[in-house]
Amino acid sequence: MVRETEKVLKARAGKVIPNGMYGHQSVRLLPESFPQFFNRADGAYLWDSDNTRYLDLMCAYGPNLLGYREPRVEAAAARQMALGDTMTGPSPLIVDLAETLVAMISHADWAIFCKNGTDATTMAMTVARAETKRRKILVAAGAYHGSAPWCTPVPAGTLAEDRAHLISYVYNDIKSLEAAAAMAGDDLAGIFATPFKHDAFQDQALADPEYAKRARAICDAKGAMLIVDDVRAGFRLARDCSWSTVGVAPDLSCWGKSFANGYPISALLGSDSCRAGAGAIYMTGSFWYSAVPMAAALETLKILRETDYLEHIARLGERLRSGLAAHAGAQGFSLRQTGPVQMPQILFADDPDLRLGFGFAENMLARGVYMHPWHNMFLCAAMSEEDIDFALTAAGAAFADLAAGRATLKPHPAVSAMMKSRAAHA
């Protein structure tokens, strides 16, 4: 497929943007045919810069929960925009939103708002240290908590000192967690955990309730803060903090992506166990108090309380998972579909350099379905059974083409090198 507008945009971007694009939304580690730029989005679909339409199974990497341009959310945002957005001080909506989230999230007694997930996770770490007057933070090896120097997965430009007081442990491994806590000793400030293991390039794994309970017990015994990073999974597993599903309440939880259905806002929620620490640190941002995203968040949260959006997405996820398995098996492929069905990770068995995954994603893109070959995906409430069936029809043809051309597939050079490096250091 020739994308003339995309080609021109990429050439222009390469002159004025390092590497042509940056961060997780760069397509440098995706098949060459994947578009970098998009003109518009609506409901469950988006259109690239050449106006080709795709069913979007990435949902903007998570922020699209209810559907792009959801009418009620857009109307609430427009009403507030007519009054004001970024002003000398926050609008009264900041109080309304804090009260709403405290009422919805069972462990929360207070809320602080910011812009990005990295803001929220970095504040969580800082609050834990301020509350406990300690330094050590436990993080699961390979977990993603943002792009600040203390947590970025690409360490270029960072210093060893940025991570001097981080101790890693293996997710879901109680002995590893206990060993890390013992290493921290009396200097343990907090334990970070994701709602489930959702590392890129790997199978996902739901949280073992016993691991979650042990993390809570260690924090209680040592006077440390338990932090759940719910930026990616928030409101996709539960209408409460995601670890409510395993019966564990954190001291702090980090939120972003979806709770304003794409409007730029994130949050740190906390219990009274660390209110003093939250009050002691300095935190601010020029746009952290903007009113329009708060109006969008309030309407989004109202929809989450009033509708079966969560159950609907789960039903669609089950339909997608079973249909993909059937189509793959018919062509002799075995899929590894892991994690919650609302946030599927889809990898191929016996595909160490991901050439099958890349080939399948490229075949799906050519048929109007945007899938990711190595990152978990997302479903949104605007999707219908017909949309899922459209994806499955495309998958049936894509698997057939993949089988026919399997001998000609080649690995992505950069991804192949990365996977070999990971295997060597495993």
Side-chain angles (χ1 to χ4, degrees), residues 69-77 79 299 302-303 306-307:
R69 300 175 62 228
E70 201 286 330
R72 287 173 55 179
V73 176
E74 295 302 301
R79 288 193 298 270
E299 191 62 33
K302 184 177 181 182
I303 294 171
E306 294 177 349
T307 70

Side-chain angles (χ1 to χ4, degrees), residues 65-339:
L65 178 60
L66 299 176
Y68 291 116
R69 300 175 62 228
E70 201 286 330
R72 287 173 55 179
V73 176
E74 295 302 301
R79 288 193 298 270
Q80 183 57 45
M81 180 60 81
L83 300 174
D85 185 20
T86 302
M87 300 177 282
T88 299
S91 84
L93 294 182
I94 193 171
V95 181
D96 296 338
L97 184 54
E99 289 175 340
T100 297
L101 283 167
V102 166
M104 289 182 68
I105 307 306
S106 56
H107 80 86
D109 296 307
W110 53 263
I112 295 169
F113 301 105
C114 39
K115 279 298 166 198
N116 300 291
T118 302
D119 299 334
T121 57
T122 302
M123 279 201 301
M125 178 177 66
T126 308
V127 167
R129 286 172 168 164
E131 183 68 40
T132 62
K133 309 298 189 292
R134 301 171 189 166
R135 298 174 295 174
K136 304 299 183 186
I137 301 289
L138 308 190
V139 294
Y144 180 77
H145 295 295
S147 59
W150 72 271
C151 58
T152 175
V154 180
T158 66
L159 304 175
E161 291 84 350
D162 294 326
R163 307 181 191 215
H165 297 292
L166 300 184
I167 301 173
S168 67
Y169 67 93
V170 177
Y171 193 91
N172 267 344
D173 188 319
I174 292 176
K175 288 184 178 179
S176 174
L177 177 65
E178 291 174 339
M183 187 179 300
D186 294 332
D187 201 20
L188 181 62
I191 299 175
F192 261 95
T194 52
F196 64 99
K197 189 176 187 293
H198 48 57
D199 305 347
F201 298 97
Q202 299 180 28
D203 293 339
Q204 299 185 137
L206 299 179
D208 180 345
E210 296 307 311
Y211 147 75
K213 291 173 184 176
R214 187 63 184 130
R216 178 70 270 174
I218 290 171
C219 286
D220 290 341
K222 289 180 170 284
M225 302 293 109
L226 179 60
I227 306 162
V228 170
D229 178 356
D230 229 344
V231 170
R232 188 181 305 191
F235 294 121
R236 289 186 180 274
L237 304 187
R239 291 176 177 83
D240 196 344
C241 176
S242 290
W243 264 18
S244 65
T245 59
V246 291
V248 174
D251 299 284
L252 294 158
S253 60
C254 311
W255 299 75
K257 291 193 183 289
S258 68
F259 78 88
N261 202 49
Y263 279 84
I265 189 169
S266 58
L268 175 63
L269 307 184
S271 69
D272 284 334
S273 64
C274 47
R275 184 187 288 266
I281 72 171
Y282 182 74
M283 49 203 162
T284 192
S286 297
F287 305 100
W288 285 16
Y289 310 95
S290 299
V292 168
M294 293 184 183
L298 283 164
E299 191 62 33
T300 299
L301 294 170
K302 184 177 181 182
I303 294 171
L304 302 193
R305 296 192 304 274
E306 294 177 349
T307 70
D308 71 341
Y309 84 98
L310 184 57
E311 295 76 16
H312 172 69
I313 293 174
R315 287 192 296 269
L316 295 182
E318 293 285 1
R319 189 182 189 94
L320 179 65
R321 180 165 291 186
S322 61
L324 286 174
H327 282 301
Q331 295 296 332
F333 295 108
S334 177
L335 295 181
R336 306 196 320 258
Q337 300 193 72
T338 57

